[in-house]
Amino acid sequence: MALPDELTARLKRTDDGLIAAIAQERSTGRVLMLAWMDDEALARTLATRRATYYSRSRQQYWVKGETSGHIQYVHDITVDCDGDTLLLTVDQTGAACHTGNHSCFDTAPLEFGVPVETD
């Protein structure tokens, strides 16, 4: 599978060929997770509408929900103005986070005005 030339030229990848991919829930607008894609993962996602990412730690592709059943059905993908981030609008079945939470951003917000120690 190959990406269209126009899209390939528009994307700015990291030195290892990856692009940040943010998954956002279509029904709520909630940010679910951030993962990584390369051209092959993006091409697979465009062909199947199943979110396919590249695991940096395992050095392999993974289809979200393939083993867990927590599927991401992709409705659309947009490229940000710099061409270095993708936004996937998805329907999420089950948890998006590997911890079992619906979103990887289910933590308390950071507090403003709190002194931070630095070296």
Side-chain angles (χ1 to χ4, degrees):
M1 288 178 257
L3 297 174
D5 291 341
E6 180 182 309
L7 177 57
T8 299
R10 187 172 168 199
L11 298 175
K12 293 180 187 167
R13 299 156 191 82
T14 62
D15 290 342
D16 49 359
L18 300 175
I19 305 162
I22 299 168
Q24 182 180 35
E25 191 167 40
R26 182 172 70 125
S27 63
T28 65
R30 187 173 189 187
V31 173
L32 298 175
M33 60 182 276
L34 176 129
W36 296 93
M37 290 182 157
D38 63 5
D39 288 4
E40 178 67 22
L42 179 55
R44 290 181 187 190
T45 300
L46 289 168
T48 65
R49 291 189 172 263
R50 296 279 308 273
T52 302
Y53 301 107
Y54 184 78
S55 170
R56 296 179 299 168
S57 60
R58 292 178 295 190
Q59 302 280 304
Q60 67 184 29
Y61 297 101
W62 56 283
V63 178
K64 183 68 176 162
E66 192 169 59
T67 57
S68 68
H70 299 167
I71 296 165
Q72 286 180 349
Y73 177 81
V74 181
H75 282 272
D76 58 48
I77 301 174
T78 54
V79 181
D80 81 332
C81 60
D82 295 323
D84 62 1
T85 306
L86 302 170
L87 178 63
L88 285 68
T89 305
V90 304
D91 285 338
Q92 177 68 47
T93 302
C97 187
H98 72 280
T99 64
N101 289 335
H102 186 68
S103 169
C104 293
F105 297 94
D106 280 346
T107 60
L110 299 176
E111 293 183 36
F112 291 93
V114 176
V116 177
E117 293 183 30
T118 60
D119 294 334

